[in-house]
Amino acid sequence: MRPELGGIAFPHARLAVRVHRRRKQTGRRESRETAYAVTSLDAHQTTPAYLAAAIRGHWTAEAQHNIRDRTFAEDASTVHTGSAPRAMASLRNLAIGLLKTLGDDNIAKTTRAIRDQPERALPLLGITNNPDTYGT
């Protein structure tokens, strides 16, 4: 630990950043919070704009994980071996990306609708179940 950093356990820390965030969800009051970030960059190696972009990028990934976990219970998954966890995350990302591309703004609601009526999933992928197409 470096005493000049107040005893925090970040041996390569060079710069700490305080981030004030405000969030307003539809129909709710605005919430405010302060978060802190630590970087190994010195102040002359970066800019506030770069740090802001890096923090936003981190929260973009966190938001994606939040959707995967809350909608698909990813953290409770029992898939742990080989490349299966990465493959499952990719499939979840594919489903989320598809629904977002189609303009869906409530992934959880749509996945519940598909769970309850699985026949709704194939048309989203451009697949139809029309027996006349196959000559039968």
Side-chain angles (χ1 to χ4, degrees):
M1 278 195 243
R2 296 176 49 192
E4 68 272 19
L5 294 176
I8 61 173
F10 296 103
H12 302 289
R14 296 286 182 263
L15 184 66
V17 180
R18 181 172 49 195
V19 180
H20 297 287
R21 287 195 279 255
R22 295 185 306 177
R23 184 173 82 167
K24 173 96 169 77
Q25 290 180 308
T26 305
R28 294 191 178 191
R29 292 176 44 151
E30 179 180 85
S31 66
R32 296 176 184 214
E33 71 177 356
T34 300
Y36 296 89
V38 178
T39 179
S40 60
L41 298 172
D42 284 319
H44 71 277
Q45 294 175 302
T46 189
T47 65
Y50 176 82
L51 292 171
I55 290 166
R56 280 189 199 101
H58 170 76
W59 285 110
T60 300
E62 283 297 316
Q64 181 78 0
H65 174 73
N66 186 46
I67 293 170
R68 287 195 333 233
D69 189 40
R70 294 184 77 183
T71 303
F72 298 106
E74 184 174 65
D75 287 349
S77 174
T78 58
V79 177
H80 297 293
T81 58
S83 59
R86 186 174 297 182
M88 291 303 298
S90 296
L91 290 170
R92 292 178 187 113
N93 286 341
L94 176 65
I96 294 165
L98 172 66
L99 295 175
K100 284 185 175 185
T101 299
L102 295 173
D104 196 335
D105 60 346
N106 190 332
I107 305 298
K109 182 179 178 181
T110 303
T111 55
R112 284 191 301 271
I114 292 170
R115 177 200 63 204
D116 296 340
Q117 297 176 340
E119 64 276 6
R120 297 175 69 176
L122 295 179
L124 294 174
L125 298 169
I127 301 170
T128 60
N129 182 15
N130 185 350
D132 294 336
T133 309
Y134 304 107
T136 56

